[in-house]
Amino acid sequence: MKIQPHALSISNLLGTQNEQFLIPSYQRRYSWGPEQLYQLIDDIGMIETNDGHLLGSIVCLTGAHSGGLNTLELVDGQQRLTTISIILECLRERFDAEGNTDRVQEISRLLRCRTYDGPALPKIKLDTMDAEEFRMHLERTSSGNQTCLNENLRKVFECAREWVKDEAAEDISKFAHKLISDAIIVRLDVANAKDAFKLFETINNRGLRLSLTDIIKNFMLGNAARFGDDQLEAAKKSWSTLVAHLDGTDSDSFFRYFLISKLQARVTKSKVIEDFRWFFMSEVIETDKLPDRAYYYWDEEGDEDESEGIDEAKEKLEEHAKATTQITCKEFLANLASAGKAYGELISCNTGQKKIDRHLRNLRMIKATQAYGFLMHLRVGGIDDATFVNVLKLTENFLVRRHVCRERANETETLFAHLCEIDPLNPLPDLIENYREYTPTDEKFREDFASAQYPANIIERARYCLEQFEIAKHGTHQELAVLGSEEVHVEHIIPQKIQARRNRPEQEGWLSYLGDRAAHRHTRNVGRIGNLTLFAGTLNIIASNNPFEAKKSNYQQSSILLTKALAKHTNFRFPQVDARSKELAALAVTQWPIP
């Protein structure tokens, strides 16, 4: 591996006129936030006069230099270099506003590149999904009501401009000098792509700041580079497609569920890297000739206590090694991108089919995370939409029951991993058989539903249940105006806080109204389904000796039938919470039946 290291000031790093740093499309979105911005500003501000300070390193895939424009592909360091360019742009704006032409020219030279007779181009070119938003923030052309897909980028531009504007003229001039002349970046130039990706992994081998996605990306592109230039270019395009499909999702989770769907065994987060590398080496035909291929096979002497299900995963991996039909690297990446598309649609509830998307939203509210590998398996496998709707309905029923009955999440995820063996074109017979075996009984479900608590972290699950009850009351989904409305929230009939506080009339009188041992009984009842309903807008509450009576008029006017029915109660204390919980539990048994 031939590496050319250069310790350069920002002036020297960005000062070569015919060099352009390219942040390629396979890189993730800009992910630094204000915290990292201010840390970088502090690091620069603390530089002693005429003393250097190392800001970190970048890895550049350089290729052969020419007399024209030389593009340096940034393999590592995009976050830092992009942030430095944002700070420089904000400094240039400040100096331009002050009429400091010398400073403006100095910074403009660092932010632009050009050949001898060519046009001026951005020194740092984003070829990622952030490219257009970056340009708009740079030129201040974004409108106030325009949706920003990358809030981190917007916030950093905003904070950087605010900080530069608020600093005194003398201080900002000193800061600019320190940034341009005293801050040091180590630029590591590598001419060969496979060496560049290997170096990236070596620099970050502690895993302190890299995501699983970063490590897998580097592994994929590094190995594609070993197979030839054509394979590398195809890999970059496929990875760019995958990044676009996974935009707005937790990409690390995607790779875990992808492996679950392929290995048909539960995979823990700590094993994703190891198992993905093994899977790639087993699947891709070009890896047969790699001298280090055997290194990636399962270590029989490895730690077997990592988590439940490791023995099962090991067995599946060994079976896979014997039975797999190998494919090309291009095919592997195409399959990965296809799975990413399916996963992105599942998570965002955006398949383009309203019925499917509605059920996907329901699963998101339930927190049906264990099912996503299986659902991805079905979508990639070509399941038709009508059958998929039936699968989603059955999965809703199954998971509501298991979650309410507090069945073990690991067992649920293991079951869904096994279900990835099912034929996507005819899944229902096997699916129904498995769901019946693992679905809690009606008696247990009814009992646990009545006693279940819904704290803030799973309040969306309660909302889902209440919405389904409301849909059942209306008889048709189209008549339910509350579904998806941001104006509707889960309302605690007896408030979450019953200790009277200043300027909180909705809490006045509850402690005395609820009677003996109110505080203790409140803790055990406030989060039960019988104390929850759906409500739009805000309650017009006044202090009252019967605080529930003060709410009734609001409930009476609600168009939500579940809420309107509360107005029939004369009082609503803990016995009413218990009775209503049991009433809804009886409905739940028929609302979410055993398959």
Side-chain angles (χ1 to χ4, degrees), residues 193-233:
K194 65 182 179 67
D195 290 341
F197 292 111
K198 185 175 181 179
L199 176 61
F200 171 80
E201 185 170 4
T202 302
I203 290 173
N204 299 285
N205 63 0
R206 293 184 182 179
L208 297 177
R209 63 185 180 90
L210 286 182
S211 66
L212 299 180
T213 305
D214 286 329
I215 297 170
I216 290 173
K217 176 193 70 178
N218 180 68
F219 172 80
M220 288 295 306
L221 298 185
N223 278 289
R226 300 166 78 183
F227 304 148
D229 291 342
D230 289 344
Q231 293 276 42
L232 176 60
E233 289 309 308

Side-chain angles (χ1 to χ4, degrees), residues 314-333:
K314 183 189 300 185
E315 182 180 344
K316 287 289 183 182
L317 289 169
E318 290 170 349
E319 291 175 0
H320 182 80
K322 297 175 183 177
T324 187
T325 300
Q326 289 185 304
I327 58 178
T328 67
C329 183
K330 288 182 180 180
E331 290 172 325
F332 182 93
L333 280 159

Side-chain angles (χ1 to χ4, degrees), residues 47 52 144 167 175 179 447 595:
I47 299 175
E167 289 295 296
F175 177 87
L179 172 59
E447 180 180 342

Side-chain angles (χ1 to χ4, degrees), residues 404 444-454 524-525 528-530 577-586 588:
V404 167
K444 180 172 175 56
F445 181 52
R446 184 187 300 108
E447 180 180 342
D448 289 349
F449 193 91
S451 62
Q453 293 276 348
Y454 295 94
R524 293 186 289 112
N525 285 276
R528 293 174 65 185
I529 195 72
V577 171
D578 186 63
R580 187 167 178 265
S581 295
K582 291 176 179 177
E583 177 187 339
L584 293 176

Side-chain angles (χ1 to χ4, degrees), residues 488-500:
V488 178
H489 59 271
V490 176
E491 155 78 0
H492 290 75
I493 303 165
I494 298 173
Q496 293 174 278
K497 304 290 184 182
I498 59 173
Q499 302 285 351

Side-chain angles (χ1 to χ4, degrees), residues 275-401:
D275 288 357
F276 185 89
R277 288 169 171 168
W278 187 94
F279 181 67
F280 175 82
M281 289 292 175
S282 299
E283 285 278 308
V284 175
I285 195 167
E286 289 94 336
T287 66
D288 288 350
K289 298 179 181 179
L290 295 180
D292 58 345
R293 182 173 184 258
Y295 168 79
Y296 293 98
Y297 280 91
W298 191 275
D299 180 8
E300 293 288 350
E301 303 301 323
D303 181 10
E304 295 184 2
D305 297 324
E306 176 70 22
S307 71
E308 191 175 318
I310 288 297
D311 288 339
E312 176 193 353
K314 183 189 300 185
E315 182 180 344
K316 287 289 183 182
L317 289 169
E318 290 170 349
E319 291 175 0
H320 182 80
K322 297 175 183 177
T324 187
T325 300
Q326 289 185 304
I327 58 178
T328 67
C329 183
K330 288 182 180 180
E331 290 172 325
F332 182 93
L333 280 159
N335 291 345
L336 191 66
S338 178
K341 181 177 186 294
Y343 182 79
E345 290 175 350
L346 293 171
I347 295 298
S348 63
C349 310
N350 187 23
T351 66
Q353 299 294 323
K354 289 184 178 180
K355 286 186 178 180
I356 292 176
D357 293 344
R358 186 166 71 243
H359 286 292
L360 289 174
R361 173 187 178 269
N362 291 344
L363 288 175
R364 184 169 64 189
M365 295 171 76
I366 295 168
K367 290 198 172 182
T369 54
Q370 300 99 333
Y372 284 123
F374 169 61
L375 298 178
M376 182 167 56
H377 161 72
L378 296 180
R379 292 289 285 178
V380 171
I383 187 172
D384 65 87
D385 288 347
T387 304
F388 194 54
V389 168
N390 287 332
V391 168
L392 294 175
K393 288 179 180 177
L394 291 168
T395 303
E396 277 182 48
N397 294 354
F398 177 68
L399 285 176
V400 166
R401 284 192 172 231

Side-chain angles (χ1 to χ4, degrees), residues 15-42:
T16 304
Q17 287 297 288
N18 69 335
E19 285 185 343
Q20 183 182 57
F21 293 93
L22 172 69
I23 300 176
S25 59
Y26 61 77
Q27 296 282 27
R28 59 179 171 166
R29 283 188 181 275
Y30 180 78
S31 61
W32 275 19
E35 181 181 354
Q36 289 79 18
L37 167 69
Y38 291 130
Q39 183 61 59
L40 180 60
I41 288 173
D42 288 343

